[in-house]
PDB file of all heavy atoms in Angstrom:
ATOM      1  N   PRO A   1      60.247  38.107 165.390  1.00 92.00           N
ATOM      2  CA  PRO A   1      61.574  38.068 166.014  1.00 92.00           C
ATOM      3  C   PRO A   1      61.906  39.399 166.680  1.00 92.00           C
ATOM      4  O   PRO A   1      61.330  40.441 166.354  1.00 92.00           O
ATOM      5  CB  PRO A   1      62.510  37.787 164.824  1.00 92.00           C
ATOM      6  CG  PRO A   1      61.634  37.201 163.772  1.00 92.00           C
ATOM      7  CD  PRO A   1      60.293  37.833 163.949  1.00 92.00           C
ATOM      8  N   ARG A   2      62.847  39.358 167.613  1.00 92.00           N
ATOM      9  CA  ARG A   2      63.244  40.572 168.317  1.00 92.00           C
ATOM     10  C   ARG A   2      63.821  41.589 167.332  1.00 92.00           C
ATOM     11  O   ARG A   2      64.599  41.247 166.450  1.00 92.00           O
ATOM     12  CB  ARG A   2      64.289  40.249 169.394  1.00 92.00           C
ATOM     13  CG  ARG A   2      64.614  41.430 170.298  1.00 92.00           C
ATOM     14  CD  ARG A   2      65.418  40.994 171.497  1.00 92.00           C
ATOM     15  NE  ARG A   2      65.615  42.085 172.445  1.00 92.00           N
ATOM     16  CZ  ARG A   2      66.698  42.861 172.476  1.00 92.00           C
ATOM     17  NH1 ARG A   2      67.681  42.641 171.627  1.00 92.00           N
ATOM     18  NH2 ARG A   2      66.790  43.831 173.360  1.00 92.00           N
ATOM     19  N   GLY A   3      63.434  42.813 167.482  1.00 93.00           N
ATOM     20  CA  GLY A   3      63.872  43.857 166.564  1.00 93.00           C
ATOM     21  C   GLY A   3      62.917  44.062 165.408  1.00 93.00           C
ATOM     22  O   GLY A   3      63.189  44.872 164.523  1.00 93.00           O
ATOM     23  N   GLN A   4      61.807  43.318 165.407  1.00 93.00           N
ATOM     24  CA  GLN A   4      60.789  43.470 164.371  1.00 93.00           C
ATOM     25  C   GLN A   4      59.428  43.676 165.019  1.00 93.00           C
ATOM     26  O   GLN A   4      59.212  43.310 166.167  1.00 93.00           O
ATOM     27  CB  GLN A   4      60.738  42.230 163.467  1.00 93.00           C
ATOM     28  CG  GLN A   4      62.021  41.937 162.709  1.00 93.00           C
ATOM     29  CD  GLN A   4      61.879  40.753 161.772  1.00 93.00           C
ATOM     30  OE1 GLN A   4      60.768  40.311 161.462  1.00 93.00           O
ATOM     31  NE2 GLN A   4      63.005  40.222 161.302  1.00 93.00           N
ATOM     32  N   ARG A   5      58.523  44.276 164.249  1.00 92.00           N
ATOM     33  CA  ARG A   5      57.135  44.368 164.669  1.00 92.00           C
ATOM     34  C   ARG A   5      56.243  44.359 163.435  1.00 92.00           C
ATOM     35  O   ARG A   5      56.718  44.561 162.314  1.00 92.00           O
ATOM     36  CB  ARG A   5      56.862  45.588 165.533  1.00 92.00           C
ATOM     37  CG  ARG A   5      56.933  46.921 164.844  1.00 92.00           C
ATOM     38  CD  ARG A   5      56.459  48.024 165.776  1.00 92.00           C
ATOM     39  NE  ARG A   5      55.049  47.845 166.131  1.00 92.00           N
ATOM     40  CZ  ARG A   5      54.429  48.573 167.069  1.00 92.00           C
ATOM     41  NH1 ARG A   5      55.087  49.487 167.756  1.00 92.00           N
ATOM     42  NH2 ARG A   5      53.150  48.369 167.341  1.00 92.00           N
ATOM     43  N   THR A   6      54.971  44.114 163.623  1.00 92.00           N
ATOM     44  CA  THR A   6      54.069  43.948 162.494  1.00 92.00           C
ATOM     45  C   THR A   6      53.734  45.288 161.842  1.00 92.00           C
ATOM     46  O   THR A   6      53.670  46.330 162.516  1.00 92.00           O
ATOM     47  CB  THR A   6      52.759  43.280 162.949  1.00 92.00           C
ATOM     48  OG1 THR A   6      52.169  44.056 164.000  1.00 92.00           O
ATOM     49  CG2 THR A   6      53.026  41.879 163.462  1.00 92.00           C
ATOM     50  N   ASP A   7      53.518  45.221 160.516  1.00 91.00           N
ATOM     51  CA  ASP A   7      53.033  46.399 159.802  1.00 91.00           C
ATOM     52  C   ASP A   7      51.510  46.312 159.685  1.00 91.00           C
ATOM     53  O   ASP A   7      50.876  45.490 160.341  1.00 91.00           O
ATOM     54  CB  ASP A   7      53.704  46.503 158.431  1.00 91.00           C
ATOM     55  CG  ASP A   7      53.432  45.288 157.546  1.00 91.00           C
ATOM     56  OD1 ASP A   7      52.593  44.451 157.920  1.00 91.00           O
ATOM     57  OD2 ASP A   7      54.087  45.170 156.492  1.00 91.00           O
ATOM     58  N   ASP A   8      50.932  47.150 158.849  1.00 88.00           N
ATOM     59  CA  ASP A   8      49.475  47.175 158.721  1.00 88.00           C
ATOM     60  C   ASP A   8      48.920  45.896 158.108  1.00 88.00           C
ATOM     61  O   ASP A   8      47.733  45.592 158.263  1.00 88.00           O
ATOM     62  CB  ASP A   8      49.054  48.379 157.868  1.00 88.00           C
ATOM     63  CG  ASP A   8      49.388  49.700 158.538  1.00 88.00           C
ATOM     64  OD1 ASP A   8      49.483  49.712 159.785  1.00 88.00           O
ATOM     65  OD2 ASP A   8      49.568  50.708 157.825  1.00 88.00           O
ATOM     66  N   ASN A   9      49.782  45.147 157.403  1.00 89.00           N
ATOM     67  CA  ASN A   9      49.344  43.909 156.762  1.00 89.00           C
ATOM     68  C   ASN A   9      49.674  42.668 157.583  1.00 89.00           C
ATOM     69  O   ASN A   9      49.615  41.553 157.058  1.00 89.00           O
ATOM     70  CB  ASN A   9      49.981  43.787 155.368  1.00 89.00           C
ATOM     71  CG  ASN A   9      49.570  44.912 154.441  1.00 89.00           C
ATOM     72  OD1 ASN A   9      48.408  45.291 154.409  1.00 89.00           O
ATOM     73  ND2 ASN A   9      50.534  45.471 153.710  1.00 89.00           N
ATOM     74  N   LYS A  10      50.047  42.880 158.868  1.00 91.00           N
ATOM     75  CA  LYS A  10      50.373  41.779 159.772  1.00 91.00           C
ATOM     76  C   LYS A  10      51.617  41.008 159.313  1.00 91.00           C
ATOM     77  O   LYS A  10      51.722  39.800 159.507  1.00 91.00           O
ATOM     78  CB  LYS A  10      49.194  40.803 159.905  1.00 91.00           C
ATOM     79  CG  LYS A  10      47.977  41.390 160.593  1.00 91.00           C
ATOM     80  CD  LYS A  10      48.277  41.643 162.060  1.00 91.00           C
ATOM     81  CE  LYS A  10      47.035  42.115 162.788  1.00 91.00           C
ATOM     82  NZ  LYS A  10      47.310  42.323 164.240  1.00 91.00           N
ATOM     83  N   ILE A  11      52.551  41.716 158.697  1.00 92.00           N
ATOM     84  CA  ILE A  11      53.825  41.134 158.287  1.00 92.00           C
ATOM     85  C   ILE A  11      54.915  41.677 159.197  1.00 92.00           C
ATOM     86  O   ILE A  11      54.962  42.881 159.480  1.00 92.00           O
ATOM     87  CB  ILE A  11      54.158  41.472 156.814  1.00 92.00           C
ATOM     88  CG1 ILE A  11      52.991  41.084 155.909  1.00 92.00           C
ATOM     89  CG2 ILE A  11      55.435  40.771 156.389  1.00 92.00           C
ATOM     90  CD1 ILE A  11      52.640  39.609 155.952  1.00 92.00           C
ATOM     91  N   CYS A  12      55.787  40.805 159.692  1.00 94.00           N
ATOM     92  CA  CYS A  12      56.865  41.233 160.580  1.00 94.00           C
ATOM     93  C   CYS A  12      57.925  41.976 159.765  1.00 94.00           C
ATOM     94  O   CYS A  12      58.496  41.420 158.822  1.00 94.00           O
ATOM     95  CB  CYS A  12      57.494  40.027 161.277  1.00 94.00           C
ATOM     96  SG  CYS A  12      56.360  39.146 162.383  1.00 94.00           S
ATOM     97  N   ARG A  13      58.171  43.209 160.108  1.00 92.00           N
ATOM     98  CA  ARG A  13      59.166  44.028 159.424  1.00 92.00           C
ATOM     99  C   ARG A  13      60.220  44.487 160.431  1.00 92.00           C
ATOM    100  O   ARG A  13      59.904  44.829 161.559  1.00 92.00           O
ATOM    101  CB  ARG A  13      58.520  45.249 158.778  1.00 92.00           C
ATOM    102  CG  ARG A  13      57.408  44.925 157.774  1.00 92.00           C
ATOM    103  CD  ARG A  13      57.946  44.232 156.558  1.00 92.00           C
ATOM    104  NE  ARG A  13      56.895  43.999 155.570  1.00 92.00           N
ATOM    105  CZ  ARG A  13      57.075  43.294 154.462  1.00 92.00           C
ATOM    106  NH1 ARG A  13      58.257  42.733 154.207  1.00 92.00           N
ATOM    107  NH2 ARG A  13      56.078  43.132 153.607  1.00 92.00           N
ATOM    108  N   GLU A  14      61.463  44.515 159.985  1.00 92.00           N
ATOM    109  CA  GLU A  14      62.550  44.945 160.855  1.00 92.00           C
ATOM    110  C   GLU A  14      62.435  46.429 161.141  1.00 92.00           C
ATOM    111  O   GLU A  14      62.141  47.230 160.246  1.00 92.00           O
ATOM    112  CB  GLU A  14      63.900  44.628 160.207  1.00 92.00           C
ATOM    113  CG  GLU A  14      65.075  44.857 161.143  1.00 92.00           C
ATOM    114  CD  GLU A  14      66.385  44.374 160.545  1.00 92.00           C
ATOM    115  OE1 GLU A  14      66.385  43.960 159.366  1.00 92.00           O
ATOM    116  OE2 GLU A  14      67.401  44.402 161.252  1.00 92.00           O
ATOM    117  N   CYS A  15      62.655  46.802 162.380  1.00 92.00           N
ATOM    118  CA  CYS A  15      62.586  48.211 162.781  1.00 92.00           C
ATOM    119  C   CYS A  15      63.879  48.904 162.370  1.00 92.00           C
ATOM    120  O   CYS A  15      64.959  48.551 162.845  1.00 92.00           O
ATOM    121  CB  CYS A  15      62.395  48.323 164.291  1.00 92.00           C
ATOM    122  SG  CYS A  15      60.884  47.557 164.892  1.00 92.00           S
ATOM    123  N   MET A  16      63.777  49.882 161.505  1.00 91.00           N
ATOM    124  CA  MET A  16      64.950  50.589 161.004  1.00 91.00           C
ATOM    125  C   MET A  16      64.959  52.057 161.420  1.00 91.00           C
ATOM    126  O   MET A  16      65.804  52.825 160.977  1.00 91.00           O
ATOM    127  CB  MET A  16      64.992  50.493 159.479  1.00 91.00           C
ATOM    128  CG  MET A  16      65.074  49.060 158.946  1.00 91.00           C
ATOM    129  SD  MET A  16      66.469  48.129 159.627  1.00 91.00           S
ATOM    130  CE  MET A  16      67.845  49.089 158.980  1.00 91.00           C
ATOM    131  N   GLY A  17      64.013  52.438 162.266  1.00 92.00           N
ATOM    132  CA  GLY A  17      63.955  53.827 162.698  1.00 92.00           C
ATOM    133  C   GLY A  17      64.943  54.125 163.819  1.00 92.00           C
ATOM    134  O   GLY A  17      65.684  53.248 164.290  1.00 92.00           O
ATOM    135  N   SER A  18      64.965  55.352 164.252  1.00 92.00           N
ATOM    136  CA  SER A  18      65.820  55.793 165.362  1.00 92.00           C
ATOM    137  C   SER A  18      64.936  56.416 166.439  1.00 92.00           C
ATOM    138  O   SER A  18      63.862  56.945 166.121  1.00 92.00           O
ATOM    139  CB  SER A  18      66.852  56.814 164.886  1.00 92.00           C
ATOM    140  OG  SER A  18      67.707  56.248 163.913  1.00 92.00           O
ATOM    141  N   PRO A  19      65.348  56.352 167.688  1.00 94.00           N
ATOM    142  CA  PRO A  19      64.547  56.975 168.747  1.00 94.00           C
ATOM    143  C   PRO A  19      64.384  58.465 168.494  1.00 94.00           C
ATOM    144  O   PRO A  19      65.342  59.146 168.091  1.00 94.00           O
ATOM    145  CB  PRO A  19      65.372  56.707 170.014  1.00 94.00           C
ATOM    146  CG  PRO A  19      66.252  55.553 169.667  1.00 94.00           C
ATOM    147  CD  PRO A  19      66.557  55.679 168.211  1.00 94.00           C
ATOM    148  N   ASP A  20      63.186  58.977 168.713  1.00 93.00           N
ATOM    149  CA  ASP A  20      62.982  60.415 168.560  1.00 93.00           C
ATOM    150  C   ASP A  20      63.390  61.137 169.837  1.00 93.00           C
ATOM    151  O   ASP A  20      63.866  60.515 170.798  1.00 93.00           O
ATOM    152  CB  ASP A  20      61.533  60.728 168.173  1.00 93.00           C
ATOM    153  CG  ASP A  20      60.528  60.197 169.194  1.00 93.00           C
ATOM    154  OD1 ASP A  20      60.916  59.986 170.354  1.00 93.00           O
ATOM    155  OD2 ASP A  20      59.353  59.996 168.832  1.00 93.00           O
ATOM    156  N   CYS A  21      63.211  62.436 169.851  1.00 92.00           N
ATOM    157  CA  CYS A  21      63.655  63.243 170.997  1.00 92.00           C
ATOM    158  C   CYS A  21      62.999  62.788 172.291  1.00 92.00           C
ATOM    159  O   CYS A  21      63.664  62.673 173.326  1.00 92.00           O
ATOM    160  CB  CYS A  21      63.339  64.720 170.720  1.00 92.00           C
ATOM    161  SG  CYS A  21      63.802  65.836 172.066  1.00 92.00           S
ATOM    162  N   TYR A  22      61.704  62.497 172.242  1.00 94.00           N
ATOM    163  CA  TYR A  22      60.993  62.078 173.457  1.00 94.00           C
ATOM    164  C   TYR A  22      61.509  60.741 173.958  1.00 94.00           C
ATOM    165  O   TYR A  22      61.612  60.527 175.173  1.00 94.00           O
ATOM    166  CB  TYR A  22      59.495  61.999 173.169  1.00 94.00           C
ATOM    167  CG  TYR A  22      58.650  61.773 174.402  1.00 94.00           C
ATOM    168  CD1 TYR A  22      58.282  62.834 175.213  1.00 94.00           C
ATOM    169  CD2 TYR A  22      58.230  60.482 174.759  1.00 94.00           C
ATOM    170  CE1 TYR A  22      57.504  62.631 176.343  1.00 94.00           C
ATOM    171  CE2 TYR A  22      57.459  60.278 175.882  1.00 94.00           C
ATOM    172  CZ  TYR A  22      57.097  61.344 176.677  1.00 94.00           C
ATOM    173  OH  TYR A  22      56.344  61.143 177.806  1.00 94.00           O
ATOM    174  N   ASP A  23      61.836  59.826 173.043  1.00 96.00           N
ATOM    175  CA  ASP A  23      62.393  58.528 173.441  1.00 96.00           C
ATOM    176  C   ASP A  23      63.707  58.707 174.182  1.00 96.00           C
ATOM    177  O   ASP A  23      63.965  58.052 175.198  1.00 96.00           O
ATOM    178  CB  ASP A  23      62.604  57.640 172.216  1.00 96.00           C
ATOM    179  CG  ASP A  23      61.292  57.249 171.548  1.00 96.00           C
ATOM    180  OD1 ASP A  23      60.260  57.275 172.234  1.00 96.00           O
ATOM    181  OD2 ASP A  23      61.316  56.933 170.340  1.00 96.00           O
ATOM    182  N   TRP A  24      64.573  59.577 173.665  1.00 96.00           N
ATOM    183  CA  TRP A  24      65.856  59.817 174.331  1.00 96.00           C
ATOM    184  C   TRP A  24      65.656  60.465 175.692  1.00 96.00           C
ATOM    185  O   TRP A  24      66.387  60.178 176.652  1.00 96.00           O
ATOM    186  CB  TRP A  24      66.749  60.697 173.459  1.00 96.00           C
ATOM    187  CG  TRP A  24      67.384  59.983 172.305  1.00 96.00           C
ATOM    188  CD1 TRP A  24      67.163  60.174 170.980  1.00 96.00           C
ATOM    189  CD2 TRP A  24      68.373  58.933 172.383  1.00 96.00           C
ATOM    190  NE1 TRP A  24      67.941  59.324 170.224  1.00 96.00           N
ATOM    191  CE2 TRP A  24      68.686  58.553 171.056  1.00 96.00           C
ATOM    192  CE3 TRP A  24      69.009  58.274 173.437  1.00 96.00           C
ATOM    193  CZ2 TRP A  24      69.614  57.549 170.763  1.00 96.00           C
ATOM    194  CZ3 TRP A  24      69.931  57.282 173.149  1.00 96.00           C
ATOM    195  CH2 TRP A  24      70.223  56.933 171.830  1.00 96.00           C
ATOM    196  N   LEU A  25      64.679  61.359 175.792  1.00 96.00           N
ATOM    197  CA  LEU A  25      64.393  61.976 177.084  1.00 96.00           C
ATOM    198  C   LEU A  25      63.909  60.940 178.089  1.00 96.00           C
ATOM    199  O   LEU A  25      64.264  60.993 179.276  1.00 96.00           O
ATOM    200  CB  LEU A  25      63.340  63.078 176.905  1.00 96.00           C
ATOM    201  CG  LEU A  25      63.819  64.343 176.187  1.00 96.00           C
ATOM    202  CD1 LEU A  25      62.639  65.247 175.869  1.00 96.00           C
ATOM    203  CD2 LEU A  25      64.852  65.092 177.014  1.00 96.00           C
ATOM    204  N   TYR A  26      63.115  59.987 177.615  1.00 97.00           N
ATOM    205  CA  TYR A  26      62.662  58.900 178.499  1.00 97.00           C
ATOM    206  C   TYR A  26      63.855  58.059 178.965  1.00 97.00           C
ATOM    207  O   TYR A  26      63.970  57.744 180.160  1.00 97.00           O
ATOM    208  CB  TYR A  26      61.645  58.025 177.773  1.00 97.00           C
ATOM    209  CG  TYR A  26      61.398  56.698 178.462  1.00 97.00           C
ATOM    210  CD1 TYR A  26      60.657  56.630 179.634  1.00 97.00           C
ATOM    211  CD2 TYR A  26      61.922  55.511 177.950  1.00 97.00           C
ATOM    212  CE1 TYR A  26      60.442  55.422 180.275  1.00 97.00           C
ATOM    213  CE2 TYR A  26      61.703  54.305 178.579  1.00 97.00           C
ATOM    214  CZ  TYR A  26      60.967  54.266 179.739  1.00 97.00           C
ATOM    215  OH  TYR A  26      60.769  53.064 180.385  1.00 97.00           O
ATOM    216  N   LEU A  27      64.726  57.683 178.034  1.00 97.00           N
ATOM    217  CA  LEU A  27      65.907  56.905 178.409  1.00 97.00           C
ATOM    218  C   LEU A  27      66.797  57.701 179.361  1.00 97.00           C
ATOM    219  O   LEU A  27      67.391  57.140 180.286  1.00 97.00           O
ATOM    220  CB  LEU A  27      66.687  56.508 177.159  1.00 97.00           C
ATOM    221  CG  LEU A  27      65.996  55.500 176.226  1.00 97.00           C
ATOM    222  CD1 LEU A  27      66.852  55.244 174.989  1.00 97.00           C
ATOM    223  CD2 LEU A  27      65.709  54.193 176.950  1.00 97.00           C
ATOM    224  N   GLY A  28      66.888  58.999 179.140  1.00 96.00           N
ATOM    225  CA  GLY A  28      67.662  59.833 180.061  1.00 96.00           C
ATOM    226  C   GLY A  28      67.070  59.846 181.454  1.00 96.00           C
ATOM    227  O   GLY A  28      67.797  59.809 182.459  1.00 96.00           O
ATOM    228  N   PHE A  29      65.749  59.880 181.535  1.00 97.00           N
ATOM    229  CA  PHE A  29      65.078  59.832 182.839  1.00 97.00           C
ATOM    230  C   PHE A  29      65.361  58.527 183.557  1.00 97.00           C
ATOM    231  O   PHE A  29      65.701  58.512 184.751  1.00 97.00           O
ATOM    232  CB  PHE A  29      63.575  60.017 182.641  1.00 97.00           C
ATOM    233  CG  PHE A  29      62.751  59.706 183.859  1.00 97.00           C
ATOM    234  CD1 PHE A  29      62.760  60.549 184.951  1.00 97.00           C
ATOM    235  CD2 PHE A  29      61.968  58.557 183.910  1.00 97.00           C
ATOM    236  CE1 PHE A  29      61.996  60.263 186.073  1.00 97.00           C
ATOM    237  CE2 PHE A  29      61.207  58.258 185.015  1.00 97.00           C
ATOM    238  CZ  PHE A  29      61.220  59.110 186.104  1.00 97.00           C
ATOM    239  N   MET A  30      65.233  57.408 182.846  1.00 97.00           N
ATOM    240  CA  MET A  30      65.492  56.110 183.459  1.00 97.00           C
ATOM    241  C   MET A  30      66.960  55.970 183.846  1.00 97.00           C
ATOM    242  O   MET A  30      67.296  55.259 184.812  1.00 97.00           O
ATOM    243  CB  MET A  30      65.093  54.984 182.506  1.00 97.00           C
ATOM    244  CG  MET A  30      63.619  54.971 182.126  1.00 97.00           C
ATOM    245  SD  MET A  30      62.501  54.956 183.547  1.00 97.00           S
ATOM    246  CE  MET A  30      62.845  53.348 184.255  1.00 97.00           C
ATOM    247  N   ALA A  31      67.856  56.620 183.103  1.00 96.00           N
ATOM    248  CA  ALA A  31      69.284  56.581 183.442  1.00 96.00           C
ATOM    249  C   ALA A  31      69.589  57.451 184.657  1.00 96.00           C
ATOM    250  O   ALA A  31      70.503  57.151 185.436  1.00 96.00           O
ATOM    251  CB  ALA A  31      70.122  57.029 182.244  1.00 96.00           C
ATOM    252  N   MET A  32      68.813  58.519 184.836  1.00 96.00           N
ATOM    253  CA  MET A  32      69.046  59.420 185.970  1.00 96.00           C
ATOM    254  C   MET A  32      68.594  58.830 187.295  1.00 96.00           C
ATOM    255  O   MET A  32      69.139  59.188 188.348  1.00 96.00           O
ATOM    256  CB  MET A  32      68.326  60.754 185.739  1.00 96.00           C
ATOM    257  CG  MET A  32      69.025  61.703 184.807  1.00 96.00           C
ATOM    258  SD  MET A  32      68.290  63.347 184.897  1.00 96.00           S
ATOM    259  CE  MET A  32      66.603  63.010 184.387  1.00 96.00           C
ATOM    260  N   LEU A  33      67.604  57.965 187.258  1.00 96.00           N
ATOM    261  CA  LEU A  33      67.038  57.453 188.507  1.00 96.00           C
ATOM    262  C   LEU A  33      68.079  56.819 189.422  1.00 96.00           C
ATOM    263  O   LEU A  33      68.180  57.204 190.598  1.00 96.00           O
ATOM    264  CB  LEU A  33      65.913  56.458 188.202  1.00 96.00           C
ATOM    265  CG  LEU A  33      64.589  57.048 187.733  1.00 96.00           C
ATOM    266  CD1 LEU A  33      63.578  55.944 187.450  1.00 96.00           C
ATOM    267  CD2 LEU A  33      64.027  58.002 188.784  1.00 96.00           C
ATOM    268  N   PRO A  34      68.889  55.836 188.945  1.00 96.00           N
ATOM    269  CA  PRO A  34      69.889  55.269 189.851  1.00 96.00           C
ATOM    270  C   PRO A  34      70.945  56.270 190.270  1.00 96.00           C
ATOM    271  O   PRO A  34      71.428  56.214 191.409  1.00 96.00           O
ATOM    272  CB  PRO A  34      70.500  54.109 189.040  1.00 96.00           C
ATOM    273  CG  PRO A  34      70.206  54.428 187.628  1.00 96.00           C
ATOM    274  CD  PRO A  34      68.900  55.158 187.634  1.00 96.00           C
ATOM    275  N   LEU A  35      71.306  57.207 189.392  1.00 95.00           N
ATOM    276  CA  LEU A  35      72.322  58.203 189.745  1.00 95.00           C
ATOM    277  C   LEU A  35      71.826  59.110 190.861  1.00 95.00           C
ATOM    278  O   LEU A  35      72.546  59.371 191.835  1.00 95.00           O
ATOM    279  CB  LEU A  35      72.691  59.023 188.510  1.00 95.00           C
ATOM    280  CG  LEU A  35      73.709  60.148 188.736  1.00 95.00           C
ATOM    281  CD1 LEU A  35      75.020  59.581 189.266  1.00 95.00           C
ATOM    282  CD2 LEU A  35      73.938  60.923 187.451  1.00 95.00           C
ATOM    283  N   VAL A  36      70.592  59.596 190.740  1.00 95.00           N
ATOM    284  CA  VAL A  36      70.031  60.469 191.778  1.00 95.00           C
ATOM    285  C   VAL A  36      69.901  59.720 193.098  1.00 95.00           C
ATOM    286  O   VAL A  36      70.197  60.271 194.172  1.00 95.00           O
ATOM    287  CB  VAL A  36      68.667  61.010 191.317  1.00 95.00           C
ATOM    288  CG1 VAL A  36      67.972  61.757 192.456  1.00 95.00           C
ATOM    289  CG2 VAL A  36      68.834  61.937 190.121  1.00 95.00           C
ATOM    290  N   LEU A  37      69.483  58.460 193.050  1.00 95.00           N
ATOM    291  CA  LEU A  37      69.375  57.665 194.277  1.00 95.00           C
ATOM    292  C   LEU A  37      70.753  57.412 194.888  1.00 95.00           C
ATOM    293  O   LEU A  37      70.903  57.428 196.119  1.00 95.00           O
ATOM    294  CB  LEU A  37      68.663  56.349 193.980  1.00 95.00           C
ATOM    295  CG  LEU A  37      67.167  56.475 193.665  1.00 95.00           C
ATOM    296  CD1 LEU A  37      66.596  55.136 193.213  1.00 95.00           C
ATOM    297  CD2 LEU A  37      66.400  56.982 194.881  1.00 95.00           C
ATOM    298  N   HIS A  38      71.752  57.150 194.046  1.00 94.00           N
ATOM    299  CA  HIS A  38      73.126  57.014 194.548  1.00 94.00           C
ATOM    300  C   HIS A  38      73.531  58.268 195.314  1.00 94.00           C
ATOM    301  O   HIS A  38      74.036  58.193 196.447  1.00 94.00           O
ATOM    302  CB  HIS A  38      74.098  56.788 193.393  1.00 94.00           C
ATOM    303  CG  HIS A  38      74.225  55.361 192.961  1.00 94.00           C
ATOM    304  ND1 HIS A  38      74.364  54.312 193.845  1.00 94.00           N
ATOM    305  CD2 HIS A  38      74.265  54.809 191.711  1.00 94.00           C
ATOM    306  CE1 HIS A  38      74.467  53.175 193.171  1.00 94.00           C
ATOM    307  NE2 HIS A  38      74.406  53.449 191.892  1.00 94.00           N
ATOM    308  N   TRP A  39      73.340  59.420 194.693  1.00 92.00           N
ATOM    309  CA  TRP A  39      73.746  60.682 195.315  1.00 92.00           C
ATOM    310  C   TRP A  39      72.978  60.934 196.604  1.00 92.00           C
ATOM    311  O   TRP A  39      73.559  61.420 197.591  1.00 92.00           O
ATOM    312  CB  TRP A  39      73.509  61.837 194.333  1.00 92.00           C
ATOM    313  CG  TRP A  39      74.552  61.896 193.252  1.00 92.00           C
ATOM    314  CD1 TRP A  39      75.736  61.215 193.217  1.00 92.00           C
ATOM    315  CD2 TRP A  39      74.509  62.688 192.069  1.00 92.00           C
ATOM    316  NE1 TRP A  39      76.430  61.517 192.078  1.00 92.00           N
ATOM    317  CE2 TRP A  39      75.697  62.426 191.347  1.00 92.00           C
ATOM    318  CE3 TRP A  39      73.584  63.570 191.529  1.00 92.00           C
ATOM    319  CZ2 TRP A  39      75.983  63.042 190.137  1.00 92.00           C
ATOM    320  CZ3 TRP A  39      73.871  64.181 190.325  1.00 92.00           C
ATOM    321  CH2 TRP A  39      75.051  63.930 189.638  1.00 92.00           C
ATOM    322  N   PHE A  40      71.698  60.608 196.620  1.00 91.00           N
ATOM    323  CA  PHE A  40      70.894  60.830 197.827  1.00 91.00           C
ATOM    324  C   PHE A  40      71.424  60.006 198.992  1.00 91.00           C
ATOM    325  O   PHE A  40      71.635  60.532 200.096  1.00 91.00           O
ATOM    326  CB  PHE A  40      69.431  60.496 197.551  1.00 91.00           C
ATOM    327  CG  PHE A  40      68.569  60.519 198.782  1.00 91.00           C
ATOM    328  CD1 PHE A  40      68.119  61.725 199.296  1.00 91.00           C
ATOM    329  CD2 PHE A  40      68.223  59.346 199.445  1.00 91.00           C
ATOM    330  CE1 PHE A  40      67.327  61.757 200.435  1.00 91.00           C
ATOM    331  CE2 PHE A  40      67.438  59.370 200.577  1.00 91.00           C
ATOM    332  CZ  PHE A  40      66.988  60.577 201.079  1.00 91.00           C
ATOM    333  N   PHE A  41      71.645  58.719 198.771  1.00 91.00           N
ATOM    334  CA  PHE A  41      72.063  57.850 199.875  1.00 91.00           C
ATOM    335  C   PHE A  41      73.516  58.106 200.267  1.00 91.00           C
ATOM    336  O   PHE A  41      73.877  57.945 201.443  1.00 91.00           O
ATOM    337  CB  PHE A  41      71.853  56.388 199.498  1.00 91.00           C
ATOM    338  CG  PHE A  41      70.414  55.965 199.527  1.00 91.00           C
ATOM    339  CD1 PHE A  41      69.723  55.686 198.358  1.00 91.00           C
ATOM    340  CD2 PHE A  41      69.731  55.866 200.730  1.00 91.00           C
ATOM    341  CE1 PHE A  41      68.394  55.313 198.388  1.00 91.00           C
ATOM    342  CE2 PHE A  41      68.400  55.489 200.773  1.00 91.00           C
ATOM    343  CZ  PHE A  41      67.726  55.214 199.600  1.00 91.00           C
ATOM    344  N   ILE A  42      74.358  58.495 199.313  1.00 88.00           N
ATOM    345  CA  ILE A  42      75.729  58.861 199.658  1.00 88.00           C
ATOM    346  C   ILE A  42      75.719  60.067 200.587  1.00 88.00           C
ATOM    347  O   ILE A  42      76.418  60.106 201.609  1.00 88.00           O
ATOM    348  CB  ILE A  42      76.543  59.155 198.393  1.00 88.00           C
ATOM    349  CG1 ILE A  42      76.821  57.864 197.626  1.00 88.00           C
ATOM    350  CG2 ILE A  42      77.863  59.845 198.746  1.00 88.00           C
ATOM    351  CD1 ILE A  42      77.457  58.085 196.263  1.00 88.00           C
TER     352      ILE A  42
END
């Protein structure tokens, strides 16, 4: 199901972790793309 992934024993376990620093930086990059393009075309 969505929000779960398999463990080493092939059992679906709910993901309870949090994004690490690199994950947030990636999301920040994807969030910046439309903003930078908006500013460029404006």
